[in-house]
Structure formats: structure tokens, C-alpha cells
Amino acid sequence: MQLIKDGAFIADPWTHVGDEDALPGAPDAGVIVSLERWQRESNELIASGRPLGVQLKSGQDPSEIARDLEKLALVGLEFPAYRNGRAYSYASLLRQRYGFKGEVRAVGNVLRDQFLYMIRCGFDALEVTDNITPAIYAEMIGEFTHSYQTAADDRPAVMSLRQRLAAKNAAD
Amino acid sequence: MYRYDEFDHQLVRERVKQFRGQVARRLSGEITEDEFKPLRLMNGVYLQLHAYMLRIAVPYGTLSSRQLRKLAELARKYDRGYGHFTTRQNLQLNWPALKDMPNLIEELATVEMHCIQTSGNCIRNVTSDHYAGAAEGEVEDPRIICEIIRQWSTFHPEFSYLPRKFKIAVSATEHDRAAIRVHDIGIRVLKNGLGETGYEVWIGGGLGRTPIIGKKVGDFIRREDLLSYLEAALRVYNMSGRRDNMYKSRIKILVHEIGEAEMKRRVEAEFEEIRKEGRLQLPDEEVERIRRYFAAPAFETLPDQSAELDAEMAKDEDFAHWVRQNTVKHKTPGYAIVNISLKPIGGTPGDISSEQMEAVADLAEKYAFSELRAAHEQNLTFAHVRKQDLRAVYDGLSAAGLATPNIGLISDQIACPGLDYCALANARSIPLAQEISERFADLKLQHDIGRLHINISGCINACGHHHVGHIGILGVDKKGIENYQITLGGAADEIASVGDIIGPGFTDDKIVDAIETIVMTYLDIRQEGEIFLDTYRRVGLQPFKDKLYATH
Amino acid sequence: MAQHMRKGARVQALTANRLQDGIVVYLTPDNRWSEKMQDADVADGKEEAAALLARGQAFLGSKDVVDVYLFEVEGDEHGGIRAMSVREAIRQAGPTVRPDLGKQAEGKV
Ligand code: SF4
């Protein structure tokens, strides 16, 4: 498993911590916990002063942590199978509805042919299998120059590009 | 019709390149079939009984002569010289090789066509009224909003891995020819009291294992808000639709499980939020840009009656028959809508050879503004033909074997490919359709029977829309033997209904007799002016049941 | 081949579709894929079937075929084999509504 953050392959500074596991030794190490653990131990976790992340399973709607988002630096969203696309909506909601500025990380079955969709829905971090190389990532992200619709990323919709072009042509 | 601009062209070109890469990775063994299957399915490539099948999108059923000619050429070059029009206004090729697919779709792109989202759990090709732009009483051309939806839904990052496939249909007349009530979302274009154009939205209709008529969830969505509304509905579905059981994963099941009121509440709540964000507001300029592509052609000012036509009809009984059965009143005086039957007696519903495609393309070029439509009934339509040209069109169609005068009659059946081609089938559909049309080949008898829709599906997936046939036939598998179940009283129009199962099924040697018994029973008991569906709605199943299962 | 079929036992052959063009093929006794069903190896009873299936599945990772599975056959009057189900019979021959297409038209039985 490797991590792509904002397009760069980096060593993961975060640690996934199981529900019964002890927190890692380093007191400033960021931890990612389940929603259940977060709901059980949020006071202790906040008191620890570490960067905190919560990972939602498919079926755990981000509205469940909407009020906690300012305390979180990361939200992980699970893809239990590539076919299960719920997390695309979850990520979109985190960005568009809740204005979450922290890391939104794709975890689980993250296939290369889905990278672009994930980035467009607001994921900025992807946990990918070891066979993915920077070249593959660049190819998958670069396959389409334009998009017909707006999403959580800052790509303009083709509709707006057309208007700009028309305005430019009118001005020329 | 819509023409690609540089943005559309680029996207389709990039798609060809992407798919070429995916096919190459598969053929070289770099990726396994498990990895490749979802990729090929996203591009309409299925593995069927005998070979691969490629489903080509015909957006809202509109084709130009140039496109149809290209399809004819591709069918000849990469297939066995024919194609099959489906109930979703698409065209399927039955035998193309996987290794040829990249070249095939590259050639398709040269005529502004593609196979994007013709399968997979995404928003599928948007379907519409095949009389669009020609129908009387149309609020506006429904294809304007279809094209806007096509673009919005193409590679939508949030909605490409939905719980299940998602089908949208649009109609802009009171009489619904697009079957909007049996789609995941059905849209009716209408005007409010102030004369503004907006949309009525139906959600949760569908056929398949659990046929359900959609519910009207949006009464009047304003034009600028339509995409926000669709995005809201899709988001609710994507987040809450079931993913544990593929038979319960369509939006109709969600609506059924949470109730119509709760669905409406959720969609409206999400809609309000999205509207606040403002990013999906449809700009007038874009609507107008697209509207221009669907502007009415330059109709001539003509008297509604054509003396030439009347004279020809008086001279030639067969021609007169065809005019009466296959043409429909156009909104412009002196013009007619022409339906081309792809249901010759004893033929395969929806099949068309390359030569026939070329003949149709030529006729469209000469007499129909170079444009034609695929209808969901698996026929073709010329939307605008001068009445004085009907004779020439008829002669051209006759020469190509395409002038069967049976639109709307018992031999104009809908039938899916069934077990002759389809890997999912339980039973054959086509031979049944052929036998039924042969049994009722006599045109006088067909006319006497009147409008009667027989729809046939080879399995519960219901591609042949059997639930909404006046008479529906469903193929089931009884221990390796084909068996057929009959339903009566279905309809897909504005008074949509799901047919009722009449009783135990029939084997392939008994089913055509059973259909004949049902039709004869109707002829016996119908009242003045009734078509089959009227009679059925008046008397119900019992009289048909009594005759069908009477012990001799 | 049909001669050594035991009465009453389930006799099966192994089929797949060729990756390149999707054409229906059958696994032969010498582990080739043939377009003709008469070339197919047959498995008599459970154990042989498992072995035949295993031989076919060994191809799954390859770039030769997809969708490998067993189907039931019986002996025909010419000493060959015939598919038991309508589905496999059609798959072998071609569409019943287009006798001019498929293996039935190409003499590949
Ligand atoms: S209804 Fe069934 S048999 Fe017919 S085309 Fe659809 S999946 Fe195939």
C-alpha cells in the first residue's frame, strides 16, 4: 500500500489505529480511527492534542461527523468494493456542503480507472496498491482534458468554457 | 440536430484513446478478465452467447443520414452486415471482435457517435419521443433537455458507480411516447400558468423483476434548476440505494422502501442545498445554444392536403394502406411523420441490414432533412416528410423491404434478442415474434384486431418491456426447457399499467395458440370502438382465463 | 467418444469464449481450444468433471479464453455428442433465426 497525496507519492504520516489498539508512542503522530471509536473516545482523543482523522465505512453518512469536522484534520472514506460508489457522494458532501478543508482520503478498493473521478469528487489522498507508479497516476488523471459538469474540484464545466470562448470570440 | 463542437470532439477522442489502452492491456494479458470486465461494460461491450456485442448510443434516438451510413459500413466491416435496434433507441452489433473494437469506436467518433455509458451502473443513454419536433401539442423539442442531460451525465464523477443502472426518459407532449412512467426518472416538459417552461419529474418507475410505475415527485421544476434537481435525486439514490442485493438496488426499490413522501422530502432537502450552492444553475445561453441545433427545419408553406397524395392513394390500395397505418399527422400543414416498420412478417423485430440502413439514409437525405429517429418500439421514423413525397418514400422503402404497413398492429411486436443471442436469456423471443406475425399475417385480420401491442422478453430483465405490453410474454426456464408466461393489460403511456399474469405458462409449441385464443376471445367480446386494452380494462382477466384454460 | 459414456452418469464438456473475438470454443483432450464441439473432451461423472474444469481454469489467467464452464452433453446418433440444454445447443450452432450465421453456417459442429 502506498499513499498519493495531492498527486505526490509520499510516506504516510498517519497511522490507522484499530478499535482496541493503543495509540502510537509518538505524541504528535496523527491517528485515523473508526467512527465508533471516535464517538466513544472523542474527548480523550482531542485531549491528546494529536492530529485526528476518522474513517467512515460505506453506509456511515458524513452528516454523522458534520459537527466534529473542525476538530478533524482527515476524513477517510472506505470503498469496500470498486463497484460501491457511495463514497463519491460522501466526499462531494464533505467538500461542497460542509466546506471541509482537511484531507479526504480514499481507502479500500481504489482502482486506477477511478482516480480521476475520486479527485473530481474532492479526494486529495488515495491509498493505492503498490503496482501503481507515478506514470500510471499521471496517465489516469490526464485522460480527459475537459469535464461536462462541475464537481468538488475546480475544473470548470464545458458549459462555462463555451461561454468564455464565445465572449472571447465576440471581443476579437 | 446537435453537432459536436471542439469540446465534444475532444472528449470522445480521448475516450477512444482510453478504451484503446484498456483493450490493449487486456489482450496483452496485463490485466485479468475480472479487472477488464467493468471497463468494457462501461463502453457497451458485452460477451454474449456467440460473440461480443457492442451497444452503440443513439442519443435520444436521433440519427443523421451520415451517421446511419457509417453504421451500415461498420456493420459490414466489423460485423455480419446487420444491426439490431433496441427498446432504448440504441443500436447493437452482434459479432464484433474485441481486438477490432478500438478501431470501430474510432470510426464511430468521426460521425460524432460513441458507446459511452451504454452499459454499467451509471446514467444510461437518455431516451425520448421519436416524434420530437414534429408532434402536435409539443411544449418544446424534448431533445434540448435530453442533450443537456446527456452532457451533464457523461463521465459524471459522482454517479458512475451507482447501485445499479439508471435510465432517464423525456417527453414533451401529453400523450407519452417515451414511457416516462417506467423509467428511473421520467421527465415531462410542460408549461405553468404563467406560460413558463418547466419539468414534471417522475421517480422510481421501472420494469425488470419488480415492475413499478413511477411516482410524481416534482410538480414543476424550473428550467434553470433541472440539473440541480437531478443531481439531488441521484445523490439521494447513490447514498441510500441498496447495494447488498442486485435485484433490490434500483431506485424504485428505494422509493418503495422509504415511501414516496420520504423520497420527496429527501430529494427536496438535497435540492434546496444544491440550489444554494448555485453551481448547477443552467445558464440561458447554453440552453439557447443547444436549442438552436434543434430549430425546426425550413418547412415550406403548403396546403395540408396534397392532391398528388390523394390521387396516388386512390390508385394504389397498398400504398393507401401504408399511408393510413404508418404515417401520422405532423404539426405543420402539408407534412407527415413517417414510421418505418422493422417488423416484416416473419422477420426479427428491430433488425436491419447494412443495405437497408443505406436505403433509409438515402431516403432521409432526399425527403426528410437527412434525419431519422429510432423509436423505442424498435422501428424507425422520418419526422418531417412532405405529403407529396410520401409516394417516393414508400417506393424506396418497398424496394428495401421496409414498407410493412403494420405500425401499432399485432405484428408490430417488441422483442428482445432472447436466447438466440443473449447470454442471460431463459428462452427465445424472436422465433415467437416471428410465429405470431405469421399467424396473424393477414392484414385484414390485423386491421380488424386494431391497435394491439405484444411485447416479448427472454428473461425477467424485461428488455422487451413485456410488463407494459397489452399482451406481454416472458420467457422462463423450466428445467432447461423454454416456457412462456403471459400477462395482459400492460401499457407504457400516460395511463401506464403493469400487466397481470394470466396463469400457468405455455411451452413453445403451445404459446402461439394461446395468444390466438386470447385475441379471438377479445374479438368475440369487444364492444364498438374498443381496442384490446379497452376491452381488457373493462372485463379483466376472467373471460380470457376461462377460454385459455378451459378443459376440452 | 460417446461409446464410453456410462448410462445415467452426468457427462460434461468444457466450453469458453475466445478472448480476441468472443467465439465459442471447447477444450480438447490435448488441451487445445477448438471451435468444434465434436472435438471436445468429455468428462464422465464428478471426478473427471472436476479434473476437466481444473484444466480449463488453468487458462483463466491467460489471454486465450474467458468464461470457462462445464455443460452437460449426451451421445448423439452419429457417435458424437450433443448439448443437453437449449442454451448450449444454440451457443454451439448459432442463432436459430439466422441459419446463415454462426458455426451452423460454417460447418463447425
Ligand atoms: S430480457 Fe433477458 S433475454 Fe432479453 S435481452 Fe434482456 S437480458 Fe437478454
Side-chain angles (χ1 to χ4, degrees):
Chain A
M1 204 54 68
Q2 40 181 354
L3 181 70
I4 308 177
K5 176 75 200 291
D6 292 324
F9 287 63
I10 60 166
D12 190 351
W14 291 81
T15 310
H16 288 276
V17 183
D19 281 1
E20 309 305 330
D21 296 350
L23 299 184
D28 57 349
V31 291
I32 304 172
V33 299
S34 69
L35 176 65
E36 292 77 10
R37 185 160 184 177
W38 170 251
Q39 285 170 339
R40 214 170 49 221
E41 295 173 22
S42 58
N43 289 339
E44 295 89 315
L45 286 164
I46 293 165
S48 77
R50 307 162 176 273
L52 298 174
V54 169
Q55 183 165 318
L56 301 179
K57 294 192 189 70
S58 178
Q60 296 178 333
D61 192 310
S63 65
E64 306 216 32
I65 49 166
R67 271 173 301 146
D68 304 336
L69 284 173
E70 57 196 38
K71 302 175 195 95
L72 300 176
L74 179 151
V75 176
L77 298 173
E78 211 176 295
F79 289 84
Y82 80 89
R83 296 166 62 93
N84 183 336
R86 260 184 200 157
Y88 293 104
S89 286
Y90 293 166
S92 303
L93 279 177
L94 282 169
R95 297 298 190 202
Q96 292 170 334
R97 183 74 31 86
Y98 303 121
F100 183 61
K101 296 279 188 293
E103 178 172 323
V104 178
R105 176 182 290 208
V107 182
N109 223 310
V110 178
L111 298 194
R112 52 149 72 177
D113 300 278
Q114 301 176 312
F115 293 167
L116 180 59
Y117 289 162
M118 290 178 178
I119 301 294
R120 294 217 60 213
C121 287
F123 288 96
D124 57 348
L126 314 174
E127 284 186 12
V128 303
T129 49
D130 291 336
N131 58 345
I132 301 298
T133 61
I136 292 175
Y137 178 78
E139 188 193 332
M140 293 298 127
I141 292 297
E143 273 174 335
F144 292 97
T145 313
H146 301 299
S147 304
Y148 277 128
Q149 60 297 97
T150 58
D153 59 350
D154 51 12
R155 280 186 171 218
V158 160
M159 231 183 260
S160 326
L161 298 177
R162 283 180 179 135
Q163 280 178 283
R164 276 183 224 169
L165 194 68
K168 185 173 161 288
N169 288 345
D172 285 349
Chain B
M1 59 188 282
Y2 187 71
R3 295 302 310 267
Y4 282 11
D5 68 3
E6 56 192 282
F7 298 105
D8 303 305
H9 272 299
Q10 182 164 18
L11 188 120
V12 169
R13 265 200 315 269
E14 288 171 342
R15 173 57 173 151
V16 171
K17 182 162 173 261
Q18 180 189 45
F19 193 62
R20 190 181 287 287
Q22 291 167 347
V23 170
R25 276 195 273 153
R26 177 66 188 112
L27 291 179
S28 72
E30 192 186 327
I31 53 173
T32 64
E33 186 60 18
D34 282 350
E35 291 168 307
F36 180 62
K37 193 171 169 184
L39 302 179
R40 70 164 157 79
L41 282 178
M42 284 283 179
N43 203 46
V45 179
Y46 288 78
L47 183 58
Q48 293 291 38
L49 278 191
H50 313 292
Y52 290 101
M53 180 268 275
L54 179 67
R55 185 177 295 147
I56 299 168
V58 180
Y60 35 87
T62 296
L63 279 169
S64 67
S65 288
R66 182 165 161 255
Q67 289 174 324
L68 189 60
R69 257 187 222 116
K70 179 56 95 176
L71 293 171
E73 182 194 329
L74 295 177
R76 206 177 270 129
K77 185 163 166 189
Y78 296 109
D79 204 306
R80 314 273 160 109
Y82 70 108
H84 175 77
F85 280 104
T86 73
T87 50
R88 301 215 70 253
Q89 302 179 306
N90 293 320
L91 184 82
Q92 292 179 178
L93 296 180
N94 292 303
W95 308 83
L98 181 62
K99 62 179 170 39
D100 293 335
M101 296 285 185
N103 290 340
L104 201 167
I105 65 168
E106 183 163 331
E107 290 193 49
L108 263 185
T110 64
V111 292
E112 305 176 14
M113 296 187 80
H114 59 71
C115 305
I116 296 166
Q117 289 171 209
T118 54
S119 55
N121 293 337
C122 51
I123 302 169
R124 302 286 190 88
N125 184 26
V126 184
T127 52
S128 190
D129 183 356
H130 49 289
Y131 295 169
E136 282 200 298
E138 187 177 270
V139 176
E140 70 174 12
D141 196 316
R143 295 172 301 171
I144 299 168
I145 202 66
C146 286
E147 176 58 27
I148 289 170
I149 295 171
R150 181 189 78 81
Q151 297 191 16
W152 161 78
S153 63
T154 297
F155 300 138
H156 197 300
E158 191 178 334
F159 306 131
S160 288
Y161 292 90
L162 295 168
R164 203 78 175 81
K165 57 189 167 186
F166 202 92
K167 299 175 180 177
I168 301 178
V170 184
S171 162
T173 52
E174 204 145 325
H175 178 48
D176 174 13
R177 278 173 296 266
I180 65 170
R181 289 156 188 84
V182 289
H183 278 76
D184 295 287
I185 285 187
I187 296 172
R188 186 179 148 213
V189 189
L190 76 181
K191 282 206 187 322
N192 67 6
L194 298 169
E196 299 160 319
T197 303
Y199 310 97
E200 184 179 278
V201 180
W202 295 68
I203 298 187
L207 302 174
R209 183 168 297 231
T210 319
I212 296 182
I213 304 298
K215 310 284 184 292
K216 190 166 79 173
V217 173
D219 292 317
F220 188 82
I221 308 302
R222 306 181 66 83
R223 170 173 349 259
E224 63 270 26
D225 291 333
L226 183 66
L227 292 185
S228 304
Y229 196 86
L230 292 179
E231 191 136 322
L234 264 300
R235 184 173 282 171
V236 168
Y237 170 54
N238 192 40
M239 300 213 317
S240 309
R242 287 178 62 171
R243 291 173 187 271
D244 56 331
N245 176 340
M246 98 172 223
Y247 296 113
K248 300 201 159 144
S249 52
R250 294 290 285 266
I251 195 173
K252 62 191 173 189
I253 304 293
L254 176 65
V255 177
H256 181 75
E257 285 181 354
I258 67 177
E260 189 180 333
E262 173 63 9
M263 187 67 191
K264 191 175 162 84
R265 191 195 63 73
R266 288 194 201 179
V267 172
E268 280 174 2
E270 189 57 38
F271 174 51
E272 279 316 311
E273 293 291 337
I274 293 175
R275 216 156 50 149
K276 271 191 248 157
E277 294 165 11
R279 70 189 164 85
L280 277 168
Q281 275 247 348
L282 200 49
D284 285 343
E285 295 88 329
E286 180 67 1
V287 179
E288 291 313 311
R289 185 186 81 88
I290 289 176
R291 179 192 305 283
R292 282 195 291 277
Y293 288 111
F294 295 103
F299 291 125
E300 295 165 39
T301 312
L302 297 169
D304 195 39
Q305 246 188 326
S306 155
E308 282 151 283
L309 173 62
D310 294 348
E312 285 297 332
M313 285 176 73
K315 251 188 353 217
D316 181 348
E317 185 54 29
D318 289 347
F319 171 60
H321 233 48
W322 176 84
V323 172
R324 281 194 291 269
Q325 200 60 45
N326 286 24
T327 74
V328 176
K329 194 169 165 34
H330 194 281
K331 65 180 181 190
T332 313
Y335 284 82
I337 301 170
V338 173
N339 288 302
I340 303 168
S341 169
L342 299 183
K343 321 286 174 61
I345 301 301
T348 298
D351 270 17
I352 181 167
S353 69
S354 289
E355 292 71 34
Q356 289 175 321
M357 289 187 222
E358 280 155 355
V360 170
D362 290 348
L363 289 170
E365 199 163 80
K366 276 198 203 115
Y367 303 111
F369 301 95
S370 298
E371 190 198 301
L372 67 140
R373 316 288 171 74
H376 87 262
E377 293 89 349
Q378 300 176 289
N379 292 316
L380 298 176
T381 297
F382 289 158
H384 326 286
V385 177
R386 292 193 308 184
K387 285 186 177 171
Q388 65 210 65
D389 293 333
L390 287 176
R391 177 78 222 194
V393 169
Y394 171 77
D395 289 342
L397 291 174
S398 295
L402 290 169
T404 314
N406 62 348
I407 296 293
L409 299 178
I410 189 171
S411 61
D412 179 12
Q413 303 160 82
I414 291 177
C416 79
L419 192 52
D420 280 299
Y421 293 97
C422 176
L424 300 172
N426 286 324
R428 281 171 290 171
S429 311
I430 302 167
L432 212 59
Q434 294 176 331
E435 270 180 68
I436 292 171
S437 75
E438 274 157 0
R439 181 77 59 98
F440 293 95
D442 177 19
L443 259 183
K444 249 188 73 204
L445 174 60
Q446 291 197 42
H447 276 117
D448 186 30
I449 294 166
R451 195 153 73 82
L452 174 50
H453 301 167
I454 298 185
N455 294 1
I456 310 172
S457 302
C459 81
I460 197 66
N461 286 330
C463 303
H465 297 179
H466 63 279
H467 300 294
V468 290
H470 299 172
I471 299 177
I473 304 175
L474 164 67
V476 293
D477 174 89
K478 259 197 163 170
K479 302 193 182 102
I481 310 285
E482 297 162 295
N483 198 272
Y484 298 92
Q485 217 172 60
I486 301 175
T487 51
L488 299 184
D493 58 7
E494 61 280 8
I495 325 174
S497 54
V498 171
D500 308 306
I501 298 175
I502 192 163
F506 297 85
T507 49
D508 64 340
D509 54 337
K510 298 271 165 40
I511 179 71
V512 181
D513 291 340
I515 299 299
E516 187 171 7
T517 303
I518 290 168
V519 174
M520 292 307 151
T521 307
Y522 146 72
L523 289 179
D524 276 350
I525 62 175
R526 72 170 162 189
Q527 292 177 356
E528 187 68 28
E530 280 184 342
I531 63 165
F532 176 86
L533 187 62
D534 301 328
T535 304
Y536 178 77
R537 284 179 173 163
R538 176 170 57 79
V539 304
L541 274 177
Q542 205 55 49
F544 298 99
K545 226 176 179 159
D546 291 346
K547 270 277 162 41
L548 205 51
Y549 299 105
T551 40
H552 299 286
Chain C
M1 221 165 276
Q3 297 86 316
H4 62 248
M5 288 178 185
R6 275 181 294 134
K7 275 225 151 42
R10 263 162 60 100
V11 183
Q12 301 181 82
L14 190 84
T15 182
N17 292 76
R18 204 153 58 199
L19 173 67
Q20 291 249 334
D21 55 11
I23 297 301
V24 176
V25 287
Y26 303 91
L27 190 66
T28 65
D30 58 348
N31 271 352
R32 285 178 307 108
W33 292 99
S34 168
E35 289 187 38
K36 298 180 183 172
M37 188 167 75
Q38 298 310 329
D39 292 343
D41 199 358
V42 292
D44 201 343
K46 246 190 179 156
E47 276 158 35
E48 283 188 37
L52 181 58
L53 183 61
R55 269 166 55 207
Q57 282 175 336
F59 285 87
L60 274 184
S62 79
K63 22 181 198 174
D64 299 316
V65 294
V66 295
D67 268 15
V68 173
Y69 63 90
L70 293 164
F71 66 103
E72 271 187 79
V73 296
E74 60 183 356
D76 71 5
E77 45 282 3
H78 317 293
I81 53 170
R82 159 171 74 211
M84 301 272 283
S85 72
V86 185
R87 182 182 197 274
E88 287 308 321
I90 293 175
R91 216 170 140 264
Q92 189 282 316
T96 61
V97 293
R98 288 298 299 262
D100 57 324
L101 297 177
K103 297 181 196 292
Q104 58 197 353
E106 296 160 4
K108 293 172 182 155
V109 290

